[in-house]
Amino acid sequence: MVSHLTTEAARSIAEAVPDPEVPVLTLGDLGIIRAVALSDAGVDVTITPTYSGCPAMNAIGMDISLALTQAGYGAVRIQTVLSPAWSTDWISAEGHAKLRAFGIAPPHPRGTVLPVACPHCGATNTSEIAHFGSTACKALWRCNVCREPFDHFKCH
Amino acid sequence: MSTASISLSKEPLVRFILRRADDALVLGHRLSEWCGHAPLLEEEMALANIALDHLGQARALYTYAAEVEAAGLDEDAYAYRRDPVDYLNVLLVERPNGDFAHTIVRLWLYSAFMSLWWQAMTGSKDAQLSAIAARAVKEVAYHLRHAANWLVRLGDGTAQSHQRTQMALDQLWPYAGEMFTSQPDEEDLIATGIAIDPETLRQAWLTRIMNEAAQALLKMPTAPFSQQGGRSGNHSEAMGHLLAELQFMQRTYPGAQW
Ligand SMILES: [Zn+2]
């Protein structure tokens, strides 16, 4: 195996893959890459699915395989592990900042009740329009100050 | 790839998993029938999202059933190559959607039960079932909240919305009891802590249902839980029509992918 093809490098490549539905976030920001293991047979990447009904999970597996193959890694096997269940608490602090900059209010820590701050103007005078939004992970909110609608990444 | 129907495993754990997977798939299919017909754009998205959650739960359960059965089957074989008599879902989920109130009342009755069921299953001695439950329990909380909110809006709404919601509750009530039945082949699974006895959830379910029905100004039905049979493969006529649509592509073009 070529010397620069290390486990650490493979992990960085997998973690840098953008999420297909919220492309400002990488899979590393989302926290769904659980393990990367290199062997003579290739690379094993273990991921934790986000939502049962998330149609992006197949695409995520394919995107990881493609990125690693293009970087010169051999056979890529994607394994999914369900336990412990993924939670929005696994999204990194950097991920939160990226979501806000993209106009999506990031999720609160699980078990907390906090006002949802408008990602445009920062006001906390906001209200929910619909708790099922454009994708499984988001609810639709509205800012009562700047009047802009915005997505809120649901706590999960 | 064959179009031939597969035969149903006799293995109790496989059957236990398929019963719940079938509930999720069939209800998910019913909810997906609202695509393009929902009364509001937000509701269109909500029902599609909820349908997707059920499809995702069904997929996880079918995949696990295939692993346990170890007969070379996969999730698609269970979904697309079983005849109605080998589907084990409760009759409640196969009822046609009816109007919007009917769809909401069914989702509410079912989600109120499943939120308790998934919660209890997070403690299953079977690690995979417990892991699937840990994810599903969070999803069903949203489904239940959504259905209960609508129940109050409709029940405590206009004269027409109230009347339709009451009628839906009266019509669906006889089907609700089947959710609390367990099958003879589940006894060992329950004794060993892999499965749970749904009867133990009945009181908590009923308390919640009565409380929310009261908020929605609905009268509790007094009819007995007379309609059951789906768990043993005795389905209503609606199930054949549902599967004809759900299975059409794979039965016609075996193994088709896109
Ligand atoms: Zn604002």
Side-chain angles (χ1 to χ4, degrees):
Chain A
M1 201 156 269
V2 188
S3 61
H4 68 273
L5 299 179
T6 62
T7 304
E8 293 70 38
R11 187 171 184 113
S12 305
I13 291 166
E15 290 193 335
V17 170
D19 177 74
E21 284 192 340
V22 189
V24 287
L25 291 184
T26 64
L27 301 183
D29 294 329
L30 269 175
I32 66 167
I33 309 274
R34 296 289 278 279
V36 177
L38 217 56
S39 68
D40 293 340
V43 199
D44 285 280
V45 182
T46 309
I47 58 176
T48 295
T50 50
Y51 302 82
S52 297
C54 183
M57 291 317 296
N58 288 348
I60 286 173
M62 282 190 288
D63 289 349
I64 295 172
S65 299
L66 187 65
L68 286 168
T69 311
Q70 281 174 345
Y73 290 88
V76 182
R77 281 180 305 273
I78 307 290
Q79 326 247 349
T80 55
V81 53
L82 296 181
S83 185
W86 179 82
S87 148
T88 43
D89 288 352
W90 296 7
I91 299 177
S92 66
E94 203 185 335
H96 279 228
K98 288 180 184 172
L99 282 172
R100 222 174 276 118
F102 192 59
I104 299 175
H108 296 316
R110 276 185 64 73
T112 61
V113 185
L114 295 166
V116 175
C118 169
H120 307 294
C121 74
T124 51
N125 179 5
T126 56
S127 48
E128 187 183 77
I129 298 173
H131 45 254
F132 294 91
S134 55
T135 64
C137 56
K138 289 175 291 190
L140 190 58
W141 281 61
R142 169 174 48 210
C143 176
N144 298 324
V145 175
C146 74
R147 315 299 296 170
E148 286 291 320
F150 62 90
D151 278 331
H152 172 42
F153 210 112
K154 291 189 274 200
C155 307
H156 195 78
Chain B
M1 265 290 167
S2 144
T3 48
S5 297
I6 59 169
S7 55
L8 190 60
S9 166
K10 297 267 186 290
E11 161 72 35
L13 181 56
V14 173
R15 287 189 174 221
F16 172 74
I17 301 166
L18 289 179
R19 287 177 189 123
R20 270 64 201 192
D22 292 349
D23 286 352
L25 179 70
V26 171
L27 183 58
H29 184 84
R30 281 294 185 222
L31 291 170
S32 77
E33 291 174 350
W34 275 100
C35 263
H37 305 277
L40 301 163
L41 184 57
E42 285 80 7
E43 198 50 28
E44 181 86 18
M45 280 152 66
L47 291 175
N49 264 297
I50 298 172
L52 264 180
D53 281 344
H54 284 95
L55 185 61
Q57 291 167 6
R59 291 185 63 183
L61 290 167
Y62 284 138
T63 300
Y64 184 45
E67 197 184 311
V68 174
E69 185 170 1
L73 300 173
D74 62 8
E75 49 177 328
D76 286 350
Y78 291 122
Y80 296 127
R81 288 170 49 208
R82 269 183 304 150
D83 295 327
V85 68
D86 287 334
Y87 260 82
L88 302 175
N89 55 280
V90 292
L91 297 180
L92 177 69
V93 295
E94 74 194 46
R95 302 303 305 144
N97 282 332
D99 61 17
F100 183 65
H102 200 88
T103 297
I104 289 297
V105 170
R106 186 236 312 265
L107 181 64
W108 169 65
L109 293 171
Y110 177 80
S111 302
F113 171 76
M114 287 309 288
S115 73
L116 296 165
W117 193 83
W118 284 120
Q119 184 60 51
M121 283 299 289
T122 60
S124 169
K125 293 280 193 296
D126 184 297
Q128 187 69 7
L129 289 177
S130 154
I132 293 171
R135 200 170 45 158
V137 74
K138 298 195 262 186
E139 293 160 355
V140 72
Y142 275 109
H143 307 167
L144 179 55
R145 195 181 88 173
H146 186 72
N149 285 349
W150 267 116
L151 190 86
V152 174
R153 283 175 75 181
L154 295 171
D156 189 8
T158 66
Q160 179 169 194
S161 72
H162 174 82
Q163 185 241 331
R164 285 183 179 224
T165 311
Q166 182 67 57
M167 195 161 71
L169 181 57
D170 293 343
Q171 285 173 351
L172 289 165
W173 188 253
Y175 293 91
E178 192 174 12
M179 296 189 290
F180 301 96
T181 59
S182 53
Q183 306 305 308
D185 64 3
E186 290 173 2
E187 268 174 35
D188 284 350
L189 297 172
I190 292 169
T192 53
I194 289 172
I196 54 146
D197 182 352
E199 185 55 42
T200 59
L201 309 175
R202 186 195 288 253
Q203 200 49 52
W205 176 83
L206 195 59
T207 303
R208 174 166 200 137
I209 291 297
M210 286 171 67
N211 182 15
E212 288 173 350
Q215 284 176 49
L217 311 182
L218 298 169
K219 276 201 294 290
M220 288 298 292
T222 49
F225 291 140
S226 53
Q227 300 293 332
Q228 40 184 284
R231 281 279 187 257
S232 39
N234 297 312
H235 292 281
S236 62
E237 186 190 353
M239 188 66 184
H241 297 294
L242 183 149
L243 286 184
E245 187 175 313
L246 189 149
Q247 298 183 334
F248 174 80
M249 283 296 285
Q250 287 298 325
R251 294 278 193 177
T252 313
Y253 304 100
Q257 294 196 339
W258 60 88

